[in-house]
Structures are given as C-alpha cells and as structure tokens.
Amino acid sequence: MRILVVDDSRTITTVFGARLVEIGHEVVIAENGQLAVERFQASAPDLVLMDIEMPVMNGFEAAKQIRAVEATQEWAWTPIIFLTGSDTPENLVMAIEAGGDDFIPKSAPEGVVQAKMKAMARIAGLRAELSLANRKLEAQASQDGLTGLFNRRYMDLRLDHQWGEAIRCGAPFGLLMMDVDNFKLFNDHYGHLAGDDCLRAIAATLQKVVEEVNARRLAHDAFVARYGGEEFAMMLPRCTPEALAEIARVTVDAVCRQGIAHARNAEWGVSTLSVGGVHMSRAEGALAQLFRRADANLYRAKQNGRNRAELG
Ligand SMILES: Nc1nc2c(ncn2[C@@H]2O[C@H](COP(=O)(O)OP(=O)(O)OP(=O)(O)O)[C@@H](O)[C@H]2O)c(=O)[nH]1
C-alpha cells in the first residue's frame, strides 16, 4: 500500500515510516495537516496515518478537507487512522466526526498497528472493487448493446441538459438524424446477423466522425447515439450552419466510402446513409420541434434519392 504518514515529529515519521517500509509499504510523509491535504491529492495514497495535534493545520481539519476532496469524486474513500498520544473518549469522538475511521495510540504495539492497517486496506479494496463494478454498470446502462454507441435513454438525458444550457445561453444548436438506406433489403439479402455487423460498422464510422468534430471544435461536446433500429442521431451544440453542412456531407461520404457491400442498394452497391439536418442559430422552444424538423429533412433526403443530406 502507499501510506501517507502525517506527523510534525520527525522522530515519529522516521520511526513509523521505517517500520512501514520494512513490511513492504511505500511511505509518503507530510509534516502538518495542510501538507497532508496537498500530498493526499498529489500521491493518492491507499491509507492515511495522521497525528491530531500539529502546527498550521491539525489532523481533524486535514481529515475534513481530505473528505471534501474525495466528495468531488464519486465512490472515492481512503481510510484515515489517527495516531495520537492521548486516546481519550473525546478524541475518539472528534476523530470519527472529522471523517476518520479509526484511532491508534502511538504507543500501540506493532502487531496492533499492522492489524488495523490490514483491516482498513481490506475495506478500501472492497470499496474500490465496488466502485469499479458501479462504473461498469453505469457505462452499460448508457450504452446500446449492439453498437456500443450511447443509447436512446442516455441521449435523452444528455440532450435535455445540453438543450437547456443552449437555451439559457442563446447558443446555436445542430442536430443530424441519420437512417441507413434500404436496410430491410440488406437484411433480406444478407441475413439479420450480417445486418447487425453492418450497423456496428456504420456506428463505428459515426463515432469517428463525432470524435473528429470535437477534436476540430466544430461543435462543443458533440455526441452520437443510436436513436433506434437503423436510425442514429448526432447532437452538435454550438456548431455553425457551415459546420453542420460539412459534418453532414462528411458523414454521408464516410459511410459510402466504407464500402459495406449492399447489392440491393440502388446503383451504389454499398451501404449508404440518408441524413436530415437542422440548425438553430439560437436554441429556443421544444426539443421535439427540432426532431420533427430533422425528421422532415430526413424524409426529403429519402425522397430525393437517398445517400445524401438535406438540411434546413
Ligand atoms: N439486423 C438488424 N436489423 C434491424 C435492426 N433494427 C432494425 N432493423 C431492421 O431495419 C429495417 C428498416 O427497414 P425500413 O424502416 O423499411 O427502412 P429501409 O429498408 O432502411 O428503407 P429506407 O429507410 O426507406 O431507406 C427493418 O427491416 C428492421 O427489421 C437491428 O438491430 N439489426
């Protein structure tokens, strides 16, 4: 474990530090509470062993600040054990109130110190595993199982937030609705599993396009989601009408150039995409209206021959 040892007494940090290093731990030392908070942030220790009475900032205050730092990171928790010369009941209560987890007298025998650290490390390990599992679950809940893009549920949540912000700031907003062309014929011709592969491949291309959009700052925090079936939606906050037109064109071209064989897709012989785009120079009104306009343009793209974008 990496252990942050905090004490204003050089003797204590040296003695405790040497004991911990001897039994295989890495030790980071801080001489007061303020340095403890700084070193906690810089070194992300697995455990903090901290004195209570110290100059500049005492151990209780440092523990509170460490907990405040952790509160900004979901699920973060590092055990804090107070080291003290006086294990009075008042100190014990204050230690726990300040966010500490345990309390060891400096005079405690070696075995007790080691046993307490082992217990804390075990809890910290379980907590870390739980945090990882939770993050995986969160990622799964926001992802579409087939394509790995964001799913509709996540899209609605994130879009609500982006749209609200765009309205508050009077910022521009762009939306592209995209639909794979003649996809029923693709399934009929190549089978449903090949259809799934085709959707995955197109989704990967759309993801690349959106990453490029963000990298080139053509929009702010753009993202693409599977809207449903063979339909996708790309959200383009703060993009210009010129950028929207370029992104729509690039998207249509990129899917066509991908060259996924589609013998029954008109004269192209490969899978293609139709796109309906809408741009607002100042976000206002209901999101549903934006989607209706994008849908109408998508319909026009289909009517006008597919493998194209219609904007408005
Ligand atoms: N393989 C596969 N097919 C899907 C999936 N979701 C929807 N589809 C199919 O997508 C097809 C969409 O067909 P339509 O809505 O008729 O549209 P289209 O054939 O693409 O024709 P246009 O949109 O007019 O170009 C349907 O046959 C659906 O079964 C999926 O997850 N996997």
Side-chain angles (χ1 to χ4, degrees):
M1 283 195 290
R2 183 179 301 135
I3 304 178
L4 175 61
V5 180
V6 192
D7 202 305
D8 57 326
S9 154
R10 199 172 286 265
T11 317
I12 295 285
T13 51
T14 309
V15 171
F16 253 92
R19 277 157 109 193
L20 296 171
V21 169
E22 213 169 279
I23 52 173
H25 299 297
E26 185 192 332
V27 171
V28 178
I29 288 174
E31 294 77 19
N32 61 54
Q34 192 173 317
L35 287 173
V37 179
E38 286 171 24
R39 300 213 169 127
F40 176 84
Q41 285 173 285
S43 64
D46 304 297
L47 172 71
V48 180
L49 282 179
M50 184 148 63
D51 189 19
I52 296 176
E53 298 300 336
M54 289 180 290
V56 188
M57 184 188 291
N58 71 27
F60 294 151
E61 181 55 31
K64 275 189 201 156
Q65 293 203 12
I66 285 173
R67 292 297 181 229
V69 169
E70 285 182 335
T72 60
Q73 307 149 28
E74 217 179 339
W75 288 94
W77 176 74
T78 311
I80 300 176
I81 301 183
F82 284 109
L83 286 169
T84 184
S86 56
D87 55 345
T88 60
E90 294 75 31
N91 267 352
L92 174 64
V93 171
M94 276 179 80
I96 302 298
E97 293 289 320
D101 302 290
D102 206 349
F103 189 81
I104 312 182
K106 287 178 187 171
S107 57
E110 179 76 26
V112 172
V113 176
Q114 280 192 32
K116 290 215 178 202
M117 286 193 311
K118 212 171 178 178
M120 288 297 160
R122 202 180 293 150
I123 298 172
L126 285 174
R127 178 93 177 188
E129 274 174 30
L130 197 58
S131 148
L132 189 68
N134 217 42
R135 277 202 293 272
K136 275 191 192 155
L137 266 180
E138 269 171 22
Q140 279 167 8
S142 62
Q143 256 178 0
D144 167 56
L146 179 75
T147 62
L149 292 183
F150 290 124
N151 58 23
R152 177 74 180 269
R153 175 184 157 275
Y154 177 84
M155 184 197 98
D156 287 341
L157 284 174
R158 183 155 162 188
L159 186 56
D160 262 356
H161 175 76
Q162 287 188 334
W163 183 245
E165 197 168 279
I167 288 183
R168 265 193 307 282
C169 307
F173 204 96
L175 168 71
L176 296 179
M177 291 297 294
M178 301 166 279
D179 186 290
V180 183
D181 294 325
N182 291 315
F183 194 57
K184 183 177 181 314
L185 292 178
F186 186 102
N187 276 333
D188 291 348
H189 192 84
Y190 298 98
H192 203 84
L193 288 180
D196 286 353
D197 288 342
C198 174
L199 290 179
R200 269 190 217 102
I202 289 176
T205 297
L206 299 181
Q207 183 61 34
K208 270 196 206 132
V209 170
V210 91
E211 281 166 16
E212 175 84 9
V213 164
N214 282 325
R216 289 177 55 204
R217 299 187 189 286
L218 293 177
H220 178 83
D221 210 13
F223 72 99
V224 62
R226 187 175 181 201
Y227 191 71
E230 30 46 291
E231 269 194 279
F232 302 91
M234 193 181 288
M235 275 47 69
L236 299 159
R238 291 179 185 268
C239 79
T240 62
E242 295 76 24
L244 182 94
E246 183 190 338
I247 297 162
R249 183 179 48 74
V250 164
T251 306
V252 169
D253 285 355
V255 170
C256 189
R257 273 191 292 108
Q258 220 175 341
I260 305 166
H262 186 345
R264 295 172 70 186
N265 190 24
E267 74 270 24
W268 302 295
V270 292
S271 288
T272 57
L273 200 64
S274 291
V275 176
V278 59
H279 185 269
M280 288 186 96
S281 48
R282 274 181 77 90
E284 60 178 2
L287 253 177
Q289 182 61 21
L290 194 75
F291 274 84
R292 262 197 293 276
R293 284 175 52 196
D295 250 342
N297 288 331
L298 176 57
Y299 181 75
R300 274 205 297 137
K302 294 279 183 187
Q303 294 297 103
N304 291 342
R306 298 185 173 82
N307 189 21
R308 61 192 293 126
E310 294 289 345
L311 312 173

